[in-house]
Amino acid sequence: MKRFLLWAIPVAILLGLVVWRFEGRSTAQKAMSGQKKGGNNTPSVSVSNVVARTIVEDVQSVANVESPFKVEISPKISGRIAFLQAREGDAVTAGQVLLQIDPSDLQGAVLQQQANVAEARARLSQAKMTQQSTTVGVTSQIQQQEAILQSARATLNQVQQNYSAQLAGAQAQITSAQSAVANAVANKEKESASLRNAQSKYERSLTLYKQGFIAAQDLDDARTAVDVQKSVVDASEKQVESANSQVDVQKQNASIVRQKGLADIAAGKASVSAAQAALRTAQANRSQTPAYQENLAALQSQVDAALAQLNQSQARIADTTVKSPIAGTITARKADPGALASPGSPVLEVQFLDWIYVTATLPLESGSVIRAGDDVNITLDALPGKTYTGPITNLNAVADPQSRQFGIKVRVSNLQHVLRPGMYGHVSIITRTIPAKVVAPREAIHTADDGTSTVVVVDDKSVAHIRTVTLGARDSKGVQVLTGVNPGENVVVLTFNQLKDNQKVRLSSPTEQAGSGTKSGRKGKKPTKQ
């Protein structure tokens, strides 16, 4: 306690001296100020002239930028992503392939369904073979011929597919060999150019050697470089010859493939025709009973069901390719090739940005003056100094019961994609314009607790008059005065003293006003609004 008193007492004395010194200086300054003004206590005021202008009433609100079309792309089936190249910012068109799922598992399912079809057909064939002895032979013959026909068709299809694949492979080999020829020729031309360069260098060296400007060793080096380059050119010429030979070989191979393939296809078609003729012969001798027909129809239904499942499996393979449903811009990528994708889990996000919506919510009481088609002024925090205009295209007829506000959407053109979803800003909608004869600044209006509004008018003799006024419309810059103030009169907008009616005042200059504000701030006083 004693130690506390030892340092607390000096501190208190020091603070008292500081306060005494400050008050003494303040008193002196007041005295000097009174002397400079000649003892005049007339309060200083700032005034503004009331004017006639148009009051613009508007409704303002915060705004958000949204895309009119936002699509999250996800596959219809689960699987590993095999193809995915689109990234954020890439432009895409409607129908463009964006995503490819690895179809290997589905291809196995197709093979399984094909086996089921074959099994159903086998059961159908077996049922046909167990019918009455009078029809077994015919039925067996029909089944045999159908199998032969299917086999012949399958063989023909396989031959045609093999022919196409082999021919394409042979053509690819020819193209590769021709590319090798082109590369060899280019290399030869390059080396020939190098040889010409070496020969030119040798000739220059020979000339310099004869003139005695270079040594014999330099001449020998140039000659050796020419010889080496000649060997390189000879080697490149051999490469060209070898590449040309390879092209001829590949063309011969392609000719052989083409001849053999066409012969195999012709043989396959002949087999199909023979099988079809044999099947027609067997069918001509067929006799059936109603029960036989029903049994076959039931088994055929099983074959049809298996075929339907096969078609479904094949259709699922088509679902491995995912296309963009709209034209737009990639705005999100949430997976990479090799990752597992599943239905309902978005991989990409596409948004339409050629035009956008600016959304806002307005107070319910503004609903009577806001209509669809009204123009809206839009400013965005991310784009200062720019104002966009667009019409209200969507106006919600129902207000939010919690906030008591209703939503609007404004369509704005965005061909350059300057506006981006997620931007934040403000909207302003002009609801009414009122021509006013007298408009006073908001700072000049003083409203009492009972709702009475007054202003202080300064006449040409610098006498203040407190007047009760009737107010009308208002905007962000001023208030319409219906009664109490005449056009052209000056009203007080700033004073540091409480004014009285018929009090003499002094109009402050801009310099004095700034000085008064500074002094008032030092004394902790606030300006008084009349």
Side-chain angles (χ1 to χ4, degrees):
M1 185 65 181
K2 292 181 178 180
R3 295 178 62 185
F4 175 79
L5 293 176
L6 287 176
W7 63 264
I9 293 175
V11 169
I13 295 174
L14 180 61
L15 290 175
L17 291 174
V18 171
V19 171
W20 173 78
R21 180 66 175 172
F22 179 80
E23 289 180 351
R25 180 177 295 180
S26 177
T27 303
Q29 290 178 350
K30 289 181 179 180
M32 292 176 65
S33 176
Q35 291 175 0
K36 290 180 180 180
K37 296 177 181 179
N40 186 11
N41 292 326
T42 302
S44 176
V45 298
S46 297
V47 297
S48 176
N49 187 259
V50 296
V51 296
R53 67 173 180 84
T54 300
I55 296 290
V56 180
E57 292 185 347
D58 61 356
V59 177
Q60 299 182 359
S61 180
V62 297
N64 293 287
V65 178
E66 297 178 359
S67 170
F69 307 109
K70 176 181 177 183
V71 180
E72 292 183 335
I73 307 296
S74 61
K76 293 182 179 180
I77 59 174
S78 299
R80 193 173 301 278
I81 299 175
F83 171 81
L84 178 60
Q85 292 184 344
R87 292 192 176 275
E88 294 86 344
D90 291 348
V92 297
T93 58
Q96 178 178 339
V97 176
L98 301 180
L99 176 66
Q100 180 73 47
I101 301 297
D102 187 0
S104 301
D105 295 340
L106 296 177
Q107 290 172 348
V110 169
L111 294 176
Q112 180 63 42
Q113 294 301 329
Q114 288 175 342
N116 293 339
V117 171
E119 182 180 358
R121 285 174 174 169
R123 289 196 299 268
L124 176 61
S125 299
Q126 184 178 5
K128 291 177 181 179
M129 293 175 63
T130 59
Q131 299 301 320
Q132 298 176 0
S133 59
T134 56
T135 59
V136 169
V138 176
T139 303
S140 299
Q141 186 67 17
I142 292 175
Q143 293 172 354
Q144 182 180 1
Q145 295 304 325
E146 287 178 345
I148 292 174
L149 177 58
Q150 291 177 358
S151 177
R153 287 174 174 170
T155 301
L156 177 59
N157 291 334
Q158 186 64 39
V159 168
Q160 290 174 335
Q161 292 177 0
N162 291 340
Y163 171 71
S164 299
Q166 292 173 358
L167 187 60
Q171 187 62 40
Q173 292 294 333
I174 293 174
T175 303
S176 177
Q178 290 174 342
S179 298
V181 170
N183 293 334
V185 170
N187 184 55
K188 175 185 175 182
E189 293 177 353
K190 174 185 175 183
E191 298 303 336
S192 297
S194 299
L195 175 59
R196 291 192 296 271
N197 187 29
Q199 289 175 339
S200 299
K201 184 177 180 180
Y202 170 73
E203 293 174 358
R204 288 195 301 271
S205 299
L206 180 60
T207 301
L208 295 174
Y209 174 75
K210 290 179 178 180
Q211 295 176 357
F213 291 107
I214 61 173
Q217 182 63 40
D218 295 335
L219 181 62
D220 292 338
D221 292 340
R223 184 184 300 109
T224 302
V226 171
D227 295 336
V228 171
Q229 192 60 36
K230 286 181 178 179
S231 300
V232 173
V233 171
D234 293 340
S236 63
E237 289 177 348
K238 292 180 180 180
Q239 290 179 354
V240 173
E241 294 175 357
S242 177
N244 286 324
S245 300
Q246 188 65 26
V247 171
D248 295 336
V249 171
Q250 296 301 330
K251 287 183 178 179
Q252 292 176 0
N253 291 339
S255 178
I256 293 172
V257 168
R258 185 179 296 105
Q259 293 175 0
K260 185 179 180 300
L262 293 176
D264 292 339
I265 290 174
K269 290 181 178 179
S271 299
V272 170
S273 298
Q276 289 174 340
L279 178 59
R280 287 193 295 269
T281 301
Q283 290 174 341
N285 298 323
R286 182 175 54 188
S287 62
Q288 300 175 348
T289 63
Y292 176 68
Q293 290 291 339
E294 291 178 2
N295 187 28
L296 293 181
L299 292 175
Q300 185 63 47
S301 297
Q302 295 179 6
V303 174
D304 294 340
L307 285 172
Q309 293 179 355
L310 173 61
N311 293 334
Q312 184 179 7
S313 298
Q314 292 173 337
R316 294 192 67 191
I317 292 182
D319 291 339
T320 59
T321 300
V322 182
K323 301 179 181 180
S324 176
I326 64 172
T329 303
I330 301 295
T331 56
R333 170 171 161 162
K334 304 178 182 179
D336 294 308
L340 290 176
S342 59
S345 297
V347 177
L348 296 171
E349 181 182 87
V350 181
Q351 296 193 46
F352 182 81
L353 300 179
D354 288 349
W355 59 269
I356 52 88
Y357 276 135
V358 176
T359 63
T361 56
L362 303 177
L364 189 59
E365 54 269 17
S366 301
S368 60
V369 293
I370 301 298
R371 297 288 184 272
D374 289 349
D375 287 334
V376 180
N377 294 323
I378 304 163
T379 58
L380 300 173
D381 295 354
L383 301 172
K386 295 183 178 180
T387 301
Y388 300 88
T389 303
I392 298 177
T393 56
N394 299 82
L395 189 149
N396 197 339
V398 179
D400 186 345
Q402 301 296 327
S403 63
R404 299 299 178 184
Q405 293 187 335
F406 63 95
I408 63 169
K409 289 185 177 181
V410 182
R411 176 169 174 166
V412 180
S413 178
N414 189 34
L415 295 178
Q416 302 300 325
H417 294 185
V418 176
L419 307 180
R420 300 181 179 180
M423 283 186 172
Y424 176 85
H426 304 271
V427 298
S428 174
I429 307 172
I430 297 176
T431 58
R432 187 174 59 158
T433 57
I434 304 170
K437 295 182 179 180
V438 177
V439 178
R442 287 176 174 266
E443 295 82 1
I445 307 299
H446 177 72
T447 302
D449 294 338
D450 60 357
T452 303
S453 297
T454 58
V455 298
V456 178
V457 177
V458 177
D459 59 18
D460 54 357
K461 297 180 180 180
S462 298
V463 176
H465 304 278
I466 299 176
R467 297 182 186 176
T468 301
V469 293
T470 303
L471 304 180
R474 65 183 64 201
D475 57 16
S476 60
K477 299 180 180 179
V479 182
Q480 179 186 18
V481 179
L482 299 176
T483 60
V485 180
N486 297 320
E489 291 185 321
N490 293 324
V491 294
V492 176
V493 295
L494 179 65
T495 180
F496 293 91
N497 302 92
Q498 187 69 31
L499 300 179
K500 298 179 180 179
D501 193 24
N502 295 322
Q503 183 178 6
K504 187 73 173 180
V505 296
R506 180 172 60 89
L507 301 183
S508 62
S509 64
T511 303
E512 290 175 339
Q513 292 175 21
S516 299
T518 304
K519 293 179 181 179
S520 175
R522 290 178 181 175
K523 295 180 182 180
K525 293 183 180 180
K526 296 182 179 180
T528 301
K529 284 199 282 188
Q530 296 294 328

